[in-house]
């Protein structure tokens, strides 16, 4: 005997009123302290400082902005030439995205010509990849990283 979820009309009636009267809630974002601590622990203080700076953006930007926090963080990681594995783990620790999220971010930045990778041999196990910024991303000052990414992504989507 099978009973499909959602086939029971009493469940819909039971929860319809609480859902209709519930107040809206903003999604919680990690605190600056948590973000800084996660990146400092895994990648060092200089990188953590740059991440906090690059995350302080104009609050008037739309939520559909092409250059969200994850993309900016990954770009800063490339500027610091971090190991991809360490960067992803720090992002997970900070609560800004999963490893699979950063697979998509990395692909977008590679496709836009802003990031590349190089293999780093390990004493044991598989080689790791280091994320490196291409000249278009490495040269501008940190304050211009968001705009540089935005232009590259817009040009890449046309």
């Amino acid at each position: 005997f099978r009973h499909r979820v959602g086939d029971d009309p009493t469940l819909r009636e039971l929860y319809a009123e609480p859902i209709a009267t519930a107040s809206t809630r903003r999604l919680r974002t990690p605190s600056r302290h948590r973000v800084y601590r996660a990146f400092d622990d895994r990648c060092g203080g200089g990188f953590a400082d740059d991440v906090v700076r690059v995350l302080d953006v104009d609050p008037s930007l739309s939520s559909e902005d092409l250059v969200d926090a994850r993309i900016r963080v990954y770009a800063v990681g490339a500027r610091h030439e971090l190991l991809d594995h360490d960067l992803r783990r720090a992002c997970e620790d900070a609560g800004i995205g999963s490893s699979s999220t950063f697979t998509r971010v990395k692909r977008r930045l590679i496709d836009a010509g802003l990031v590349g990778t190089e293999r780093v041999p390990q004493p044991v196990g598989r080689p790791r990849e280091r994320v490196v910024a291409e000249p278009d991303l490495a040269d501008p000052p940190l304050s211009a990283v968001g705009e540089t990414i935005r232009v590259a992504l817009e040009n890449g989507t046309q």
Side-chain angles (χ1 to χ4, degrees):
F1 171 11
R2 279 179 49 181
H3 185 73
R4 290 186 48 190
V5 175
D7 284 352
D8 185 355
T10 60
L11 287 177
R12 184 174 303 276
E13 294 167 10
L14 180 66
Y15 291 102
E17 195 271 328
I19 290 171
T21 60
S23 61
T24 58
R25 295 198 147 195
R26 278 189 62 208
L27 292 176
R28 291 177 37 163
T29 57
S31 71
R32 291 169 55 100
H33 177 72
R34 177 179 175 189
V35 170
Y36 182 86
R37 199 80 193 128
F39 288 117
D40 183 36
D41 288 347
R42 289 218 185 249
C43 306
F47 173 66
D49 289 339
D50 285 351
V51 165
V52 171
R53 272 191 223 107
V54 83
L55 289 178
D56 288 335
V57 296
D58 183 359
S60 68
L61 289 177
S62 123
S63 62
E64 291 100 33
D65 186 22
L66 280 174
V67 188
D68 69 7
R70 294 170 185 96
I71 294 173
R72 291 192 307 268
V73 167
Y74 204 86
V76 172
R79 287 173 58 114
H80 281 263
E81 297 186 355
L82 296 176
L83 292 177
D84 184 48
H85 178 264
D86 294 345
L87 179 56
R88 288 169 187 252
R89 292 293 303 271
C91 290
E92 286 180 273
D93 293 349
I96 63 170
S98 68
S99 184
S100 61
T101 298
F102 286 95
T103 298
R104 290 187 301 274
V105 167
K106 179 172 127 181
R107 175 61 35 213
R108 284 185 73 192
L109 291 173
I110 287 173
D111 291 347
L114 295 173
V115 168
T117 60
E118 61 185 34
R119 293 176 69 88
V120 178
Q122 300 293 305
V124 176
R126 299 184 329 196
R128 300 276 182 175
E129 280 190 338
R130 181 179 312 281
V131 208
V132 293
E134 297 296 342
D136 287 347
L137 183 61
D139 294 338
L142 191 61
S143 60
V145 164
E147 186 58 29
T148 301
I149 297 168
R150 181 182 341 283
V151 168
L153 291 177
E154 286 173 349
N155 290 338
T157 59
Q158 293 177 350

